[in-house]
Amino acid sequence: MKPRRRILGLGIFLLLVVTLSGWVLNSSAVAADAMAAFDDSIAAPHEVDIDTGDNAWILTSSALVLMMTGPGLALFYCGLVRKKNVLSVMMQCIFLMGVMAVVWAVLGYTLAFGGEEPWIGNLDYLLLNGVQGQWVEPSQLSQVQGDVHLIHCRGVDAVQVVPMAGSIPRLTHMLFQGMFFIITPALICGAFAERMKFSAMVLFMMLWGLLVYCPLCHWIWGGGCLTFGGEGAIAGGTLDFAGGAVVHISSGVSALICALLIGKRLGFGSEPMPPHNMTYTAIGAALLWVGWFGFNGGSALAANSLAASAFAVTHFGAAAGAIAWAGWEWILRGKPSVLGACSGLVAGLAGVTATTGYVQPIHGILIGALCASACYYACTVVKNKFGYDDSLDVFGVHGVSGIVGMTLVGVFATRAVTDPAVSGGQPLGLIEGGSIITGQLATVAIASVFSIAVTFVLLRILDTLIGLRVSEKEEIEGLDFSEHGEEGYILL
Amino acid sequence: MKPRRRILGLGIFLLLVVTLSGWVLNSSAVAADAMAAFDDSIAAPHEVDIDTGDNAWILTSSALVLMMTGPGLALFYCGLVRKKNVLSVMMQCIFLMGVMAVVWAVLGYTLAFGGEEPWIGNLDYLLLNGVQGQWVEPSQLSQVQGDVHLIHCRGVDAVQVVPMAGSIPRLTHMLFQGMFFIITPALICGAFAERMKFSAMVLFMMLWGLLVYCPLCHWIWGGGCLTFGGEGAIAGGTLDFAGGAVVHISSGVSALICALLIGKRLGFGSEPMPPHNMTYTAIGAALLWVGWFGFNGGSALAANSLAASAFAVTHFGAAAGAIAWAGWEWILRGKPSVLGACSGLVAGLAGVTATTGYVQPIHGILIGALCASACYYACTVVKNKFGYDDSLDVFGVHGVSGIVGMTLVGVFATRAVTDPAVSGGQPLGLIEGGSIITGQLATVAIASVFSIAVTFVLLRILDTLIGLRVSEKEEIEGLDFSEHGEEGYILL
Amino acid sequence: MKPRRRILGLGIFLLLVVTLSGWVLNSSAVAADAMAAFDDSIAAPHEVDIDTGDNAWILTSSALVLMMTGPGLALFYCGLVRKKNVLSVMMQCIFLMGVMAVVWAVLGYTLAFGGEEPWIGNLDYLLLNGVQGQWVEPSQLSQVQGDVHLIHCRGVDAVQVVPMAGSIPRLTHMLFQGMFFIITPALICGAFAERMKFSAMVLFMMLWGLLVYCPLCHWIWGGGCLTFGGEGAIAGGTLDFAGGAVVHISSGVSALICALLIGKRLGFGSEPMPPHNMTYTAIGAALLWVGWFGFNGGSALAANSLAASAFAVTHFGAAAGAIAWAGWEWILRGKPSVLGACSGLVAGLAGVTATTGYVQPIHGILIGALCASACYYACTVVKNKFGYDDSLDVFGVHGVSGIVGMTLVGVFATRAVTDPAVSGGQPLGLIEGGSIITGQLATVAIASVFSIAVTFVLLRILDTLIGLRVSEKEEIEGLDFSEHGEEGYILL
Amino acid sequence: MKKIEAIIRHFKLEDVKNALTEQGVQGMTVTEVRGFGRQKGHTEMYRGAEYQVDFVPKIKIEVVVPEQRLQTVLDTIIQSARTGEVGDGKIFVSDLAQSVRIRTGELGPEAL
Amino acid sequence: MKKIEAIIRHFKLEDVKNALTEQGVQGMTVTEVRGFGRQKGHTEMYRGAEYQVDFVPKIKIEVVVPEQRLQTVLDTIIQSARTGEVGDGKIFVSDLAQSVRIRTGELGPEAL
Amino acid sequence: MKKIEAIIRHFKLEDVKNALTEQGVQGMTVTEVRGFGRQKGHTEMYRGAEYQVDFVPKIKIEVVVPEQRLQTVLDTIIQSARTGEVGDGKIFVSDLAQSVRIRTGELGPEAL
Ligand SMILES: Nc1ncnc2c1ncn2[C@@H]1O[C@H](COP(=O)(O)OP(=O)(O)O)[C@@H](O)[C@H]1O
Ligand SMILES: Nc1ncnc2c1ncn2[C@@H]1O[C@H](COP(=O)(O)OP(=O)(O)O)[C@@H](O)[C@H]1O
Ligand SMILES: Nc1ncnc2c1ncn2[C@@H]1O[C@H](COP(=O)(O)OP(=O)(O)O)[C@@H](O)[C@H]1O
């Protein structure tokens, strides 16, 4: 077993190294080619300025969103498992920060944001070409495509070309979006905590990112077939400000499939499996709240009034979620718990995510409370009824509130908040007489079915190839030692 | 007892839900009314632009200030209690993040910043009306009050109206100030740690926020009767840059009243009650330092030179505080302790808070050292003399350094730093020949007396109604289980 | 022994207090003098505007970099030692945050950035004169030197003068650079963890900062003898964007000297000394990753495209580093470990630091992987061969990747990214046909030799004067109690 | 009365407790211990440092029983704690001179 | 010599220690244990999962005393550890064959 | 068979374990305990509150040995655990009525 695994690891690793080195070293060449291939009809690059305030905010937001995965989610999740698996959960988060970042740079970003084809991005941004800076001779300048910022150099004709996305460098856009590509798969880890093989997890997530996340992201944000008001968009397209469908539905329903296919933890249902360190979970939840300001506020892609409004919806959604969940516990069980407040705030946050740029901050309170209440029901009643082991309630929290939140966009969205370039000044949500709710419901369905299907197929294939689960002995021993050879705490 | 409590919780919760839903659903209507009620004499809205840099900085600062409460203060405090109460302290912080945020949106902001009446804000901003965006028909545009930013929509006459506060959206202002409304009550929790009933705590804090914080905030920052240089301001008004009086004196002296009225912990004085996890306290202190940059630096409400200067005073105040407290320990006891350094840096930070926008950064060193020294004396000598159980030294640290800091503004404030629109180019502190110190001392007295009085009355009422303290049995068992049904660590 | 130590502490502390108070209180006077001494030939101050976006970003970055030391590095390091020394490591980080901040304000900044002499800064900025704001009468305005921003006051002739550094206040520049002055010595603490005397540590670091860091910083960043393209610069000067040499080589090689001179921990090699809390180490590593965005991205000193590019290189360097180190473990030992991933990401981050503003983001992947691989080799093979006890591998991680990173600047640096004002449009790295690599190698050599020499002398002197190491009994007992009188965890 | 001390595997605690409860045992005391024995520990690797963990986490159960129930209890523990692999643990039995219930002051088997 | 093992409530440790010290007891050894007995544990609830905590944290005090002081020490413990509610704990007494002070090699009661 | 309980200093565990292993001892069980004795604890100071830590962290080693090896084992422990300063600890020896190896059901010295 050991040597087999070792060889496998070796194989993957070498593959990665070789491919990457090849690509990276070729990238300059590719860049030149790519440029030569540009359409001559475009006369001169379209110059735009960088807004330093916008750039400052989106860079800050990018840092905040990375912080959500590590240490935020890592703490939130690792506190909930048993002590013997604490490191395995942290490792999943931290290693995914590494792997998904590289996959994004190499292939993910271009699949999600390259061109505006309906189904999937093109390869224009492969290996960050056309994203990172270029040094361009005057003769080739006319071939530079898209919005750019030009930095001239005294006494030299050639010019530094900075590809732009709105008022910020495209690199900033790529970074910010890349942080979503990390946290979304990391969320899924909660479903199969304490039993999935690390190697299978890594492979699954790489593929899931490219085959589930990138298409969804392209459809909804990258100019694809669900773009709101886009020509030929399905059901008129959808409003999903910061990832109700792209992030939470996709990860939530995939998590459910994982939980079902990978099976329950040994002893689930018979043995107690209480959180080993609720203080970590609480710290993690607080960090998620803070980081989510970047997640949602940054999704305005500028430091404008929309960012402020999205920030406010986020804040009130989290607040109301915490009160609602802990409140239900207080009423139904007599005691509000820390885990309740933390689960509720995360549910509130996940729930408002889709809505943040479209609804009034004061409505954030209602939306957050509704989402958290739905999740409370899902995690306490529904889950117990069906008996699946979605260990850290990824579906119960993210899946459910993603669905509820996406739906509520159709109710509460208002042109008083929404970017007029998006709303076109037309009424949006039911409350102001709009009818975007059909597009919202269609998107919920599409995102769910698509994620379920691809996840199912991926897991089946990986199960056949390398197996998804550690051995029974390893599971009893704990993944910290069996998968990583370490111990979490040596406090004696 | 249990059913009684349950019913109570239920009552409160339902009340909250009902009130909120009512209010929230009515808010659009209210908005229209409010607008209709505007004075016709105002011809057209006063347009201002958003400065994206300023907005980016204040949004970032808001995130930092929330981070101060959770996980910052939560860690700082929870490390200092006994293991059996670790979660109860975290829960107080996290639940207050939820409750105070909602109270602020509904009522707090308007009481603090609505209009410039001398005693309390008006209800202009109730439920965030006039704070969040509006969609306004051209015919009603003339009725829009205050500074606004207008976002036009191609081909549509109506316009999106963004209420402004200086160069940032009013929503950003509301958010930033709202984070103060969370941390200030959270600070008080240190006084009654390990023994106060959770339900009583929640009710107390909601009322305290509305009845102590909002008035004080309005008087000093909201154009009320202590506005510096304001017409008819008491004693000429006061300079309190980021909350020496509004935050630290108010919470510090209220904490003392809490400690006195709620009484000592069982075993206080006879049993050892050492901090159960100094590493948490140290992490928390470091996060407080980092977050305080947003607290003080953000109080410039812009990313200007004043923000930089306030940031610098903060940094040096914390640094000097850490050195001073640990230094006194080193001299007087032979060993500098981690808790000493952490207490000192927090004392330094709390101390410079009032001064940050008015004094030279290099003077921050002196002010931080003085405040930390005063707090050291208060926490080691004074407290032991009087024997009250201010469990985590909220008064000894925040109260004392709030008072010392507010006083030192009168000594060190200088027009070389202060916004000229505030100083009017006149000398301020004693050192440069000014005489604002009378206003400073008056404010210290007013803020202290007011906070003490209201806190006293509130606690007495709550004590009669629902009782402030858990039962003896629950206290021995620990609040983690008795109040929240959970355990902090399961490390075996 | 005790009284001797106490007296010593007392002495140092008093010295500090006295000196500081004297200086601080004199500073206004000094300021006036300094101004009077200005050259009359300069006619009027050179006015520049503050870019609020740039200022927002650099203030945010400053906060992020402080967060790297506390709680970032504090957690990363303290998790790796034994439980009995956990607080001693935290204390080193937190106390250094205090001490180095004050030393920087008083003397450090001016030594590093005062004037452009080749060897060391002048005293223009002593005690923050010429850095913080000034209130200047019109008659003296002509004597104000350097770039400034002027804030006028209605109805008053005098003006508030804000010294500038580019588009940000000089105070912001001072703050940002001051955070580097904290983390660089803090890094060294890993070398002598679990055995160095706290008093000796404090003195050593103060001197090291002034005598090693400040000169290096001045040579490379402050206009000194290693300024890239500077007149008479050694070997043409060097490109070190965010501190490959200034921070990582300097701290890394000094750490090695510390480890050698202070000697091994008792029981090193015979007793197991496993990390007592890998969860802390992982949290710390994640926070370092997040904070490093400020470290490298902020080194653009603006929120421009260079900042975005540096941010991206940082991200991919960390990612590739984590994959590489954990990958080598997976191949060679069969299991990827959390400590491996964390060490790798830190090695990647340290490695790309020098390169971030000069290389393509996609190359960051390669550079990060190379640096982490070199560090893996250094920490596993080289270290075991030589048998020194660089307890937390400061040399193996920071020294090695500093050296590799600085060298790789010479390979990968490109004018497609580099600020054209620096590159002058000329090819830089080997790959694009440039030849800056000589300057890079020269700087590696100079920085190493200089740091080694000064560190060696400093330690020898301090050893003679007060001794570097705690007694054997204290070491066995643990530094938490013996040096600070506290316990880390009381979890029973 | 006899005092039974059983060193068992961590994850067998629930099983043993349930089995004993079914046999009518009303009380026991459990301690976290670390065991050294034929079951070898494992090797952990932190960066360059290899390190042998000789001690394996175990659970010690202490049950005091009246003489006559000794054998049943022993058998119950053996059955419920056994996996058949090295490291299942030991049971040690010793005599007890006296036992007291603090609450009531009851002595001997009554106190159990 | 007799070995006394007392299982007591956590928060009674200080009291018992002080009472024993007053009786001239010069040494004891304390262990964190978890007890199962008539005092039922409690139910914790984590999201949807209910979970019964059967084991209650207790403290085990071990004191070795010369035969003649046995009764005094027993009485002292009983008095200082009693609250009168279920869960006050037990005291177990057994014979000791020998005791040694490692530092000096002293044997028997001298070693205590 | 005899049961040896040794209370030793924390940092002596490795030494004692190695010494015993050399003497052919194949198993032992180790517990974290806190000791109260002639070796006084220390005073910790948290802000204004002084607080006396009476209990010192110690290690308890339990080894069950056949009668005839008792003396060797005792000597080995005494030698390897001694520093000569107050607080080196104690060794307590008691009789064991029976021992069982759970895996095999072996009894008596065979079970060790
Ligand atoms: N002589 C002994 N004295 C005390 N405890 C022992 C002794 N031998 C073994 N043990 C305990 O029993 C546990 C299991 O013993 P081990 O030899 O590993 O397996 P097995 O009992 O299956 O042969 C050990 O981890 C240790 O805690
Ligand atoms: N038969 C037993 N053997 C060993 N320990 C026991 C036994 N019975 C009880 N105990 C210990 O004594 C503690 C108190 O016993 P319990 O039955 O709860 O209360 P009480 O002693 O007041 O009747 C238990 O938690 C357990 O640690
Ligand atoms: N009478 C006793 N009963 C049980 N344990 C004891 C007794 N006396 C001492 N001990 C244990 O032995 C340890 C060492 O004893 P101490 O008196 O401090 O030093 P020494 O053995 O060198 O005289 C104590 O910490 C305690 O754990």
Side-chain angles (χ1 to χ4, degrees), chain A residues 51-54 56-57 60 64 67 83 274-280 282-287 289-290 293 302-313 315-316 318-320 322-328 330-342 345 360-363 365-366 412 414-421 423-426 431-432 489 491, chain B residues 2 5-6 9-10 13-14 16 20-21 24-25 27-28 50-53 55-56 59-60 62-64 66-67 70-71 75 78 86-88 90-91 94-95 97-99 101-102 104-106 127-128 132-135 137 149 151-154 156 160-162 169 171-172 174-175 178-179 182 198-199 202 280 287 481-492:
Chain A
D51 183 312
T52 55
D54 292 347
W57 174 238
T60 304
L64 285 171
M67 189 202 69
K83 185 191 150 208
H276 90 283
N277 195 335
M278 270 305 302
T279 64
Y280 277 3
I283 303 168
L287 288 177
W289 189 331
V290 173
F293 290 141
N304 52 15
S305 57
L306 190 57
S309 193
F311 194 117
V313 177
H315 189 48
F316 298 127
I323 299 174
W325 192 307
W328 286 117
W330 211 340
I331 296 169
L332 301 174
R333 297 181 188 167
K335 284 178 187 179
S337 75
V338 182
L339 182 55
C342 293
L345 75 89
Q360 290 288 16
I362 197 74
H363 289 155
I365 299 179
L366 216 64
F412 288 100
T414 168
R415 54 195 163 174
V417 169
T418 308
D419 181 357
S423 72
Q426 300 309 307
I431 280 189
E432 67 177 18
Y489 312 87
L491 291 181
Chain B
K2 269 281 177 49
R5 189 196 300 175
R6 186 175 294 207
L10 180 63
F13 187 63
L14 282 188
L16 221 92
L20 273 180
S21 334
V24 168
L25 288 173
S27 68
S28 329
I50 296 176
D51 183 311
T52 55
N55 199 28
L59 290 177
T60 304
S62 305
L64 285 172
L66 187 71
M67 189 202 70
L75 281 165
C78 87
V86 57
L87 291 183
S88 74
M90 290 213 141
M91 182 66 170
I94 284 182
F95 203 75
M97 284 162 71
V99 169
V102 171
W104 186 247
V106 171
L127 286 161
L128 301 184
Q132 50 192 15
Q134 291 152 28
W135 183 253
E137 299 297 326
H149 176 67
I151 306 180
H152 296 274
C153 178
R154 208 181 304 177
V156 177
Q160 207 179 76
V161 173
V162 177
L171 266 177
T172 303
M174 182 276 301
L175 283 164
M179 302 310 181
I182 290 172
F198 184 68
S199 55
V202 173
Y280 277 4
L287 287 177
F481 178 71
S482 69
E483 290 284 281
H484 309 295
E486 290 167 298
E487 246 178 291
Y489 313 87
I490 303 181
L491 293 179
L492 301 179

Side-chain angles (χ1 to χ4, degrees), chain D residues 27-29 62 64 101 103, chain E residues 35-36 38-39 87-90:
Chain D
M28 67 191 87
T29 301
E62 284 165 284
V64 175
R101 186 194 304 276
R103 171 161 49 97
Chain E
F36 175 84
R38 282 176 189 71
Q39 179 196 11
D88 275 352
K90 318 277 184 203

Side-chain angles (χ1 to χ4, degrees), chain A residues 249-261:
Chain A
I249 296 184
S250 72
S251 61
V253 304
S254 300
L256 186 59
I257 302 307
C258 289
L260 292 171
L261 291 197

